[in-house]
Amino acid sequence: MKLTQITSAILMTGAVSLPLSVNAQELEISIKNLTHGITFTPLLIAAHDNNTHLFEVGTQADMALQKMAEGGDISELDTMVMANDGLSITNPAEGLLAPGAEISQIMFDTQDQSHLSITAMMLPTNDAFIGLDSWAIPSTAGTYTFTLNAYDAGTEINDEIINGGGALGTPGIPAAPQGDAGSNATGVMDMSSNDSVHIHPGILGDTDLDGGMSDLDSRVHRWLNPVAQVTVIVK
């Protein structure tokens, strides 16, 4: 089955059952930010076995995922991958990945690891992140292109207030890296009660840059899934 035929499955579950790699695989990876006004924090790309997950839809986020989703800190997720004998590439873009930008030619020798995962926080948001969950690396050489959704970690109310927050359990958004957000918002009244990892409902925003309910600009920061495109070349 061609990968283009199973894109919808990736978007729904973050994982696809493909033939497992039986030999070491050399990958060349490209990641593109498809959004108009959202920045990705430093990326984590991990190769691991089929029992390891950076996140799982429908489950509550652990502390490592919460730190990444709320503040962009990938260090504990990276430590978890290493503790499970996995491999990782951290911060391949050497900083933030701006809206519309792409990082390419990321070379990754996955050795005997069978699955690939990718994640990064989305700014400015409260706890949104891009995610690929435990994708089975094909054993057949070729080029595989697919898209990623935005997920909500379910760990923080989406109040859309930029206040320098980002520490674990601290409400608010750390920053708007492009300097295109407002201030002095009263906060969005988020009535959702889903505290598990789920597809992000998106932001509301408004057009009042000196008040209103949201510090996010609805003309700039709103997005529709998918939010990232990934190309994996299996050598």
Side-chain angles (χ1 to χ4, degrees), residues 25-205:
Q25 293 287 1
E26 181 74 25
L27 308 181
E28 180 179 334
I29 302 170
S30 299
I31 302 171
K32 184 175 183 178
N33 183 338
L34 297 178
T35 72
H36 172 66
I38 299 295
T39 298
F40 298 164
T41 62
L43 292 149
L44 173 63
I45 306 173
H48 49 77
D49 63 21
N50 64 341
N51 293 316
T52 300
H53 297 272
L54 300 186
F55 69 98
E56 292 185 82
V57 174
T59 66
Q60 289 193 330
D62 59 17
M63 185 175 296
L65 181 63
Q66 183 177 359
K67 285 186 174 182
M68 184 280 298
E70 293 185 11
D73 182 357
I74 57 176
S75 61
E76 288 201 14
L77 285 175
D78 184 37
T79 298
M80 181 272 291
V81 171
M82 297 297 103
N84 286 281
D85 298 321
L87 304 168
S88 66
I89 296 177
T90 59
N91 194 18
E94 298 183 350
L96 305 177
L97 192 64
E102 182 176 12
I103 175 68
S104 59
Q105 296 182 323
I106 306 167
M107 306 307 298
F108 197 179
D109 182 356
T110 60
Q111 299 182 25
D112 61 348
Q113 304 300 326
S114 59
H115 287 68
L116 187 74
S117 293
I118 300 172
T119 195
M121 182 190 181
M122 299 170 61
L123 279 176
T125 71
N126 289 86
D127 61 345
F129 63 96
I130 68 165
L132 175 67
D133 174 35
S134 198
W135 179 67
I137 301 170
S139 58
T140 303
T143 299
Y144 301 82
T145 299
F146 46 91
T147 53
L148 305 182
N149 271 338
Y151 293 92
D152 190 316
T155 59
E156 184 175 311
I157 294 174
N158 296 321
D159 60 14
E160 300 184 13
I161 295 176
I162 297 176
N163 62 358
L168 190 68
T170 301
I173 297 172
Q178 304 299 315
D180 49 13
S183 58
N184 304 314
T186 57
V188 172
M189 297 298 292
D190 186 353
M191 304 303 291
S192 62
S193 59
N194 192 342
D195 61 357
S196 297
V197 178
H198 57 280
I199 294 292
H200 201 287
I203 65 102
L204 293 176

